[in-house]
Structures are given as structure tokens and as C-alpha cells.
Amino acid sequence: MIDPKALAFDIDGVIADTMHLFLDILRDHYDVHSVRYEDITCYRLDQCLSVDDAVLEAATQRILDGRYRATLAPIPGAGPVLRRLAAATERVLMVTARPDGALIEAWMRGLLNGQHRQARIVATGSFEGKIDVLKENGIHWFVEDRLETCHLLKSAGIEPVVFRQPWNQDGHDYLTVDSWADLERRIVFP
């Protein structure tokens, strides 16, 4: 069972359905219609998708810059569980490898719907940078979708919780959740 006061979250692929947004951007901006969600079998998109590297990079940059027509949706169930955590613990920490958290902070305010004052987003600019932030904040559990980051967390003494996605199916022995409802059942709410 997970102590909610020692829990923090990645954003992209855990809270924000960034890969579906990525697919929308490929279709809307680059006329690429051949890629399906299930095709994203690794975190490094150039290693699993037959799409020009320049298009992959440009589509990813559009996400970071906020230059897209599609809507970024939350992973189903994320909003209610995060709001419940914010009400119960008076804080929700989210740590992202994005270089700038401003765009995702605005989106998160809408998702948290009145609980945003209890939320804090830290943009580290790197996956490795997450560890220091988590340790400084007394975090013992971190929900993450990137296995390579999970390995880093574990080696630093932080328990990864893998949020199952098509790109993190390689073998591991970390706690894995399939949905926000699954994660919610593992949290010991006060």
C-alpha cells in the first residue's frame, strides 16, 4: 500500500494522454495516418515508428511549445484521483522532464478544478533531474511510464510505480498499475 504523502507523479503518459495528442499532431500537421497507439512500443519513437525523424522531432516540439490544434486529454480517471489526493493531503507533487512547466501548469489547473493550489509542478529538463526533486520532497513512491526512469529511481531508493503503457512492456519487477482506478485502490487515504 502507498502512503499518499510520499507519492508523486510524472505527467506525460501518466496524467496527460500525450501519446494520443502526438498521434493527433501527426495526422493534423504532418498528414501521417499510419501510426496507431499500439505501435508505440518503445519510448524512443525513432526506434519503433516508421516516420521520418524530422517529423517525429517536430511533432514532439509542438507538444512542448503548445503549437497544435488537437486537445490534450487526461488519462481516464486521473482528475478525480488527483483531486481526492489534493483534498486528503493538501499537496500533489508532479515532476516532469519537460524543460518548462508553464504550458502543462495551465492545463493542470483545469484538470484539478479548484484543487490546483495544492498542486506543484516541477520541470527538471531531464529524466535524471527528477531524483533530486523527489528526494528533497521526501517522496518514496513515483508513478512513471518510462522504464529507464524507473530504473534510475530504484537505484536512488525511490520505489517506481509503472503506469502500464505499450512502450513499457519489457520485463521488470516494479509495482505496475493498469489504470487510475487500480492506482487509487493501492493508496492508503487518510
Side-chain angles (χ1 to χ4, degrees), residues 101-166:
L103 286 173
I104 203 70
E105 283 179 26
W107 179 84
M108 194 66 66
R109 277 193 299 277
L111 180 67
L112 292 176
N113 190 23
Q115 296 287 349
H116 64 278
R117 287 178 187 81
Q118 285 83 3
R120 180 172 165 229
I121 296 173
V122 178
T124 63
S126 74
F127 299 108
E128 298 80 10
K130 292 179 176 185
I131 293 169
D132 289 338
V133 173
L134 297 173
K135 285 187 169 194
E136 288 167 8
N137 285 277
I139 299 301
H140 182 71
W141 299 91
F142 189 69
V143 184
E144 172 68 58
D145 66 307
R146 182 177 179 264
L147 279 181
E148 293 81 359
T149 303
C150 290
H151 302 322
L152 290 171
L153 295 168
K154 184 67 174 180
S155 68
I158 299 165
E159 289 298 322
V161 178
V162 178
F163 197 92
R164 189 181 311 273
Q165 293 287 6

Side-chain angles (χ1 to χ4, degrees), residues 9-18 75 94-96 98 104 107-108 121 130 142-143 145:
F9 305 89
D10 177 41
I11 296 175
D12 296 302
V14 172
I15 298 171
D17 194 351
T18 313
I75 299 285
M94 294 159 280
V95 184
T96 178
R98 287 177 179 232
I104 203 70
W107 179 84
M108 194 66 66
I121 296 173
K130 292 179 176 185
F142 189 69
V143 184
D145 66 307

Side-chain angles (χ1 to χ4, degrees), residues 25 29-30 57-68 103:
I25 290 170
H29 296 273
Y30 302 100
E57 186 175 321
T60 301
Q61 193 58 49
R62 281 184 179 277
I63 291 170
L64 297 175
D65 295 344
R67 294 179 300 114
Y68 48 83
L103 286 173

Side-chain angles (χ1 to χ4, degrees), residues 4-5 82-93 115-120 189-190:
K5 292 182 179 180
L82 289 171
R83 289 190 296 273
R84 183 178 178 196
L85 276 168
T89 65
E90 297 185 353
R91 73 138 199 83
V92 175
L93 177 63
Q115 296 287 349
H116 64 278
R117 287 178 187 81
Q118 285 83 3
R120 180 172 165 229
F189 284 93

